[in-house]
Amino acid sequence: MAWICREADPAFDRWDELHRLLMDCFAYMAARIDPPSSLLRMGPAELAEKAGSETLLLAEEDGRIVGCAFLRLEPDCLYIGKVAVDPAFRGAGLARQLFALAEERARANGRLVLKLQTRVELSENHATFARLGFAKVGETAHDGYDRPTSITMTKPVDPPRPDRAFSAAVPEQA
């Protein structure tokens, strides 16, 4: 399989296709997590709005979107959310490439930590993120819940080295 991982072009307009990928990839968790995923409140227009304040990474094969992630600069880290990989591409290293690109963006923006959240119930996701170098650092509860509903995981990012060239920084948001 030959794919390319890149930052979405500013003219990107395939929000319906991206929404389908996310809905397909997140469908398995619907009966397992409580509260329901915030993705259920999002359509193509909301994804386009999200991309206006965050950076969208895409993985494509032959022009078809097969993976994605959203990046958001926070004061102390680069947050990664809405990570999805088409089931046909799982285990082939595509997520690893998306996360490597996120690390590159973190370095370019002076952030030395990647952070994500995953639902407590999704132990297979915890294991996947651990294989990618993430470690659990905390738990959070969604509004109205008196128990943990998500775990927070972080990964240190190696600082920039003068002998490496990195991509442009993610623009700071107002």
Side-chain angles (χ1 to χ4, degrees), residues 52-65:
S53 63
E54 299 182 18
T55 298
L56 172 60
L57 300 182
L58 295 172
E60 295 176 291
E61 182 184 59
D62 297 326
R64 183 172 72 92
I65 301 171

Side-chain angles (χ1 to χ4, degrees), residues 33-36 119 140-149:
I33 64 171
D34 180 39
R119 294 305 187 89
T140 59
H142 285 77
D143 287 341
Y145 286 77
D146 61 359
R147 63 171 173 77
T149 55

Side-chain angles (χ1 to χ4, degrees):
M1 294 182 211
W3 63 79
I4 183 167
C5 293
R6 63 178 178 80
E7 191 173 314
D9 184 282
F12 179 81
D13 64 356
R14 296 163 44 203
W15 302 109
D16 288 329
E17 182 183 354
L18 181 65
H19 185 255
R20 271 192 308 278
L21 172 73
L22 282 161
M23 293 299 287
D24 290 348
C25 289
F26 280 47
Y28 78 97
M29 66 178 77
R32 297 176 56 194
I33 64 171
D34 180 39
S37 172
S38 62
L39 181 62
L40 297 178
R41 296 186 305 273
M42 299 178 83
E46 289 78 15
L47 291 174
E49 184 178 325
K50 184 175 182 65
S53 63
E54 299 182 18
T55 298
L56 172 60
L57 300 182
L58 295 172
E60 295 176 291
E61 182 184 59
D62 297 326
R64 183 172 72 92
I65 301 171
V66 295
C68 70
F70 281 86
L71 309 179
R72 182 179 69 236
L73 284 175
E74 294 187 351
D76 61 343
C77 67
L78 181 71
Y79 182 85
I80 305 170
K82 298 294 185 254
V83 178
V85 173
D86 183 303
F89 290 80
R90 292 186 186 152
L94 194 150
R96 191 169 298 281
Q97 285 194 1
L98 285 169
F99 279 91
L101 188 53
E103 284 187 48
E104 184 178 307
R105 296 300 191 263
R107 270 190 222 84
N109 284 280
R111 303 312 194 274
L112 298 181
V113 175
L114 295 180
K115 181 170 80 173
L116 58 79
Q117 289 189 305
T118 183
R119 294 305 187 89
V120 168
E121 301 93 341
L122 303 179
S123 57
E124 67 276 20
N125 287 4
H126 309 171
T128 296
F129 296 134
R131 283 192 301 275
L132 291 169
F134 286 82
K136 179 180 174 180
V137 296
E139 296 179 338
T140 59
H142 285 77
D143 287 341
Y145 286 77
D146 61 359
R147 63 171 173 77
T149 55
S150 295
I151 67 168
T152 302
M153 302 181 82
T154 62
K155 176 184 180 181
V157 174
D158 291 333
R161 292 184 3 204
D163 61 331
R164 286 193 203 154
F166 293 103
S167 304
V170 174
E172 293 282 348
Q173 299 301 322

